[in-house]
Amino acid sequence: MKQRILLLLLLCLSGSVSQAQDQIQKQDSDSVLWAVAAQELQAGHYEKACSLYLDLSNHTIAIYQDINSRKVEDLRTKFSIDEVQLQRNIQQSRLLRLIWIAGIILLAVFAGCFFYIRKQNRWLAHSREELNRAKALAEESIRNKSLFLSNMSHEIKTPLNALSGFAEVLTMPGIDEATREQCNDIIQLNSELLLKLINDVIDISCLDVANMKFNIKPCDAVVLCRNVVKTLSAIKQTDAEMLFETDLDTLELDTDVERLQQLLINLQVNATKFTKQGSITLKLEKTEDGMARFSVTDTGCGIPLEQQSRIFERFEKLNEKAQGTGLGLSICQLIIKRLNGDIWIDSEYTQGCRFVFVHPLKQEARS
């Protein structure tokens, strides 16, 4: 009975119920043979009993071999299915890995293109700014050139006409000595004016050259200021009084004496053009931070507040009828910048005009 149950279980596990039933039927016939073999053994027919037992044993072995072969076949089939599934999983893994790699590469390419385009846009923006700056400079240069030619043609024409006209008067016969002296004074005045115009043009061109050398040496600023005011008082063409104020007995500073003198003269001469009455005062002080502070204050018409920001630009003139090229204040700014100082208009002073500039007491000689 146990053998029948075991055989049934084995055949069911192998997946063949009908075969299990056939084997059970065979097992019933084998039970009959087992019983016959037992009777033959009891009857003393040993050879026949042995033959029956051998047949039964071979038959049982054949059954178990058949079961084992079926199980092995089932295992092989299952293994084949598992292997196919494994290969499919491997292929899916490879495909997924390739998709990830392709995605990373595309992302890297996209990021590279994005940063490259961004860099190119920045470069283009920078180039556009440089181009606009160059264009603005070119337009400014053309405007300055036009202003220069216009101003110079106008400014030079006046003294040249005077020189030509009064020189012709001097050659006329019969003129008296007083007329001759008057013509000579007018010719001398216009000659100086023409020379001043030419000197302004030379100065503005020279000061723009980066390698122009400044002759730096010690100078007593108090003495220099007194001499400038004394000289201008003797040749002034205004009724305004020329004054110099300072609490210092002496103030030594390192500077280019000729350029500093030119700066002081330009500021005071510029003040005489717009100050017919009152005073023009040059003041010298020493600041707490080790600078010399110069100021030129007049009681003239002053400069409107809206025009003060443009007063140091080249060819800028408040009064188009006044003599000059409009380069004087621009030259002053170039000089003081090269001497490591600064210049500005005191916008709080309203009784006329006040120009202020500071100059360091000590500095390295520069070119």
Side-chain angles (χ1 to χ4, degrees), residues 108-148:
V109 171
F110 176 77
C113 292
F114 172 78
F115 286 110
Y116 175 77
I117 293 173
R118 186 177 180 182
K119 182 178 179 181
Q120 290 297 314
N121 288 337
R122 288 181 179 177
W123 182 81
L124 288 174
H126 179 72
S127 300
R128 193 178 296 111
E129 290 178 0
E130 292 291 333
L131 182 61
N132 291 336
R133 192 177 297 112
K135 181 181 178 182
L137 289 176
E139 292 175 350
E140 181 69 15
S141 177
I142 293 173
R143 188 180 73 87
N144 288 340
K145 180 180 178 181
S146 300
L147 285 173
F148 173 76

Side-chain angles (χ1 to χ4, degrees), residues 322-339:
Q323 288 290 336
T325 59
L327 295 174
L329 292 176
S330 179
I331 292 173
C332 291
Q333 187 181 51
L334 286 172
I335 290 174
I336 195 61
K337 290 292 185 181
R338 295 292 298 276
L339 292 172

Side-chain angles (χ1 to χ4, degrees), residues 131-366:
L131 182 61
N132 291 336
R133 192 177 297 112
K135 181 181 178 182
L137 289 176
E139 292 175 350
E140 181 69 15
S141 177
I142 293 173
R143 188 180 73 87
N144 288 340
K145 180 180 178 181
S146 300
L147 285 173
F148 173 76
L149 293 175
S150 176
N151 288 340
M152 289 302 296
S153 63
H154 172 73
E155 299 296 339
I156 292 176
K157 185 178 180 180
T158 302
L160 283 178
N161 287 338
L163 289 172
S164 176
F166 286 98
E168 185 178 353
V169 172
L170 286 176
T171 61
M172 295 176 62
I175 62 173
D176 55 24
E177 189 64 27
T179 303
R180 188 181 300 275
E181 289 181 359
Q182 184 180 8
C183 290
N184 184 66
D185 290 341
I186 294 174
I187 290 173
Q188 183 66 28
L189 178 63
N190 283 275
S191 297
E192 292 176 356
L193 177 59
L194 185 60
L195 182 62
K196 174 67 168 56
L197 294 175
I198 295 174
N199 286 336
D200 280 350
V201 175
I202 294 174
D203 284 338
I204 201 70
S205 62
C206 289
L207 288 170
D208 273 346
V209 179
N211 61 357
M212 181 182 179
K213 294 182 179 179
F214 274 52
N215 185 20
I216 305 297
K217 60 183 180 181
C219 168
D220 189 342
V222 176
V223 175
L224 177 63
C225 290
R226 286 200 178 103
N227 291 337
V228 168
V229 172
K230 183 178 179 180
T231 301
L232 292 178
S233 296
I235 62 172
K236 66 180 181 178
Q237 297 179 358
T238 177
D239 293 332
E241 186 178 6
M242 307 289 293
L243 301 175
F244 172 57
E245 294 181 358
T246 185
D247 295 331
L248 305 171
D249 295 328
T250 182
L251 181 62
E252 186 175 284
L253 51 82
D254 294 337
T255 188
D256 185 312
V257 179
E258 294 180 358
R259 293 296 180 185
L260 181 57
Q261 178 177 294
Q262 180 185 6
L263 194 159
L264 293 170
I265 291 174
N266 280 355
L267 290 178
Q268 292 181 88
V269 169
N270 187 70
T272 62
K273 296 178 182 179
F274 306 97
T275 310
K276 302 305 179 182
Q277 301 290 334
S279 63
I280 300 172
T281 304
L282 171 62
K283 187 175 182 179
L284 174 62
E285 303 170 284
K286 182 180 179 181
T287 64
E288 296 180 356
D289 55 350
M291 303 283 282
R293 186 178 187 269
F294 299 82
S295 63
V296 177
T297 306
D298 63 55
T299 57
C301 60
I303 300 175
L305 187 62
E306 63 273 9
Q307 295 184 8
Q308 291 183 5
S309 60
R310 300 185 289 108
I311 197 63
F312 290 105
E313 295 180 4
R314 297 180 185 182
F315 311 112
E316 188 67 34
K317 296 173 65 176
L318 295 179
N319 185 358
E320 294 296 334
K321 297 181 180 180
Q323 288 290 336
T325 59
L327 295 174
L329 292 176
S330 179
I331 292 173
C332 291
Q333 187 181 51
L334 286 172
I335 290 174
I336 195 61
K337 290 292 185 181
R338 295 292 298 276
L339 292 172
N340 295 324
D342 196 12
I343 187 170
W344 65 91
I345 301 176
D346 186 358
S347 58
E348 297 181 357
Y349 179 73
T350 58
Q351 303 303 315
C353 181
R354 175 180 291 155
F355 285 92
V356 183
F357 71 91
V358 291
H359 187 297
L361 300 180
K362 298 293 180 181
Q363 61 180 312
E364 297 292 334
R366 57 177 293 180

Side-chain angles (χ1 to χ4, degrees), residues 23 26-27 29-34 36-37 40 46-65:
Q23 292 297 331
K26 292 180 180 181
Q27 184 65 29
S29 61
D30 289 342
S31 299
V32 175
L33 291 176
W34 278 102
V36 172
E40 293 293 336
Y46 298 111
E47 291 182 2
K48 190 175 182 179
C50 181
S51 177
L52 290 172
Y53 281 125
L54 286 175
D55 291 339
L56 289 171
S57 177
N58 291 332
H59 187 264
T60 302
I61 292 172
I63 291 173
Y64 280 102
Q65 286 179 348

